[in-house]
Amino acid sequence: DVKVTQSSRYLVKRTGEKVFLECVQDMDHENMFWYRQDPGLGLRLIYFSYDVKMKEKGDIPEGYSVSREKKERFSLILESASTNQTSMYLCASNDPPLGDQPQHFGDGTRLSIL
Amino acid sequence: EDQVTQSPEALRLQEGESSSLNCSYTVSGLRGLFWYRQDPGKGPEFLFTLYSAGEEKEKERLKATLTKKESFLHITAPKPEDSATYLCAVNTNAGKSTFGDGTTLTVKP
């Protein structure tokens, strides 16, 4: 079974801090994704990566950056955390081609920015 | 702009009372439609993929169907353990996924 592991289930940070969310997958998937999930807004794509060191902006990339130095690891970085970034963050992975395969999700990180 | 709308937002059923969840979509170039189940505090878990109109998939008490404009998730004789939020996602030829807001199903014993 595919396992996508997110490093923290709950995280509390202060405004202005630089925040790192880590995600590791164990199935050698090419594609990895970061979403945020908010009530009434569904899942929204922040960034995705289709290969090591490659990244593409999703629908809401402002205020975020990502890093993919190794195939199995995809990090989401909040450069200067703000209260409107309080949310549930979900990491996912799948194999190419993009669009054909289901995504496998981690259990999420619930991030609170105070 | 790609759009996915799920209805109803919430559905409460008695155990054994069959019903359907709807996912209607407007996208340019459908690549596939995916159904996921999400339990509280967990990430979405993949259920089905449908690729073309007329296709159907079944798993236990769940059956997913697809037309050119919508998909249905039929739940036959549900049990309390079927309680969850069900998400629909549409993938396009551009490789983009658009998710609906989900339907939260509660099945009372």
Side-chain angles (χ1 to χ4, degrees):
Chain A
D1 262 1
V2 175
K3 191 156 179 65
V4 178
T5 303
Q6 295 185 230
S7 54
S8 305
R9 293 298 304 275
Y10 301 94
L11 209 52
V12 179
K13 296 291 182 180
R14 298 213 170 267
T15 54
E17 280 192 69
K18 192 168 185 175
V19 181
F20 293 85
L21 303 183
E22 307 286 344
C23 174
V24 176
Q25 50 96 1
D26 66 358
M27 282 301 291
D28 205 35
H29 282 164
E30 302 280 342
N31 305 321
M32 295 189 75
F33 308 83
W34 274 107
Y35 293 90
R36 62 178 285 176
Q37 185 175 32
D38 301 287
L41 296 175
L43 269 78
R44 292 180 291 166
L45 182 65
I46 304 170
Y47 268 96
F48 70 96
S49 168
Y50 52 89
D51 201 352
V52 175
K53 296 192 188 294
M54 306 303 290
K55 61 186 179 186
E56 293 281 344
K57 292 180 180 179
D59 297 320
I60 51 165
E62 297 78 20
Y64 303 94
S65 63
V66 289
S67 171
R68 193 162 179 208
E69 296 295 320
K70 293 185 177 182
K71 191 174 184 181
E72 68 270 18
R73 187 179 296 271
F74 193 34
S75 303
L76 179 70
I77 303 152
L78 284 66
E79 298 291 343
S80 177
S82 63
T83 54
N84 63 11
Q85 292 178 308
T86 291
S87 185
M88 167 71 92
Y89 289 87
L90 289 162
C91 175
S93 70
N94 69 2
D95 266 332
L98 278 175
D100 276 10
Q101 303 297 325
Q103 294 177 37
H104 300 269
F105 286 85
D107 281 339
T109 295
R110 188 164 291 282
L111 175 64
S112 296
I113 307 295
L114 304 179
Chain B
E1 185 181 326
D2 299 334
Q3 281 198 317
V4 177
T5 304
Q6 292 188 245
S7 61
E9 281 188 29
L11 183 61
R12 298 171 77 88
L13 300 173
Q14 286 296 129
E15 185 172 1
E17 180 187 0
S18 302
S19 189
S20 297
L21 282 54
N22 177 263
C23 171
S24 62
Y25 61 91
T26 308
V27 297
S28 49
L30 177 70
R31 190 71 176 245
L33 185 142
F34 300 81
W35 281 99
Y36 294 87
R37 170 192 170 126
Q38 187 174 21
D39 292 299
K42 299 275 193 178
E45 178 185 347
F46 169 67
L47 291 172
F48 302 110
T49 309
L50 301 165
Y51 291 109
S52 56
E55 192 174 356
E56 297 182 353
K57 293 272 178 74
E58 270 187 86
K59 181 180 178 179
E60 296 180 358
R61 295 176 292 282
L62 300 177
K63 180 180 176 180
T65 62
L66 181 65
T67 72
K68 287 188 177 178
K69 292 189 176 180
E70 59 191 349
S71 176
F72 291 94
L73 185 65
H74 306 277
I75 303 177
T76 302
K79 297 183 177 182
E81 54 262 41
D82 294 322
S83 297
T85 296
Y86 291 86
L87 299 173
C88 166
V90 174
N91 286 12
T92 67
N93 288 331
K96 187 172 181 285
S97 294
T98 301
F99 283 80
D101 290 343
T103 293
T104 299
L105 173 67
T106 304
V107 182
K108 296 284 191 183

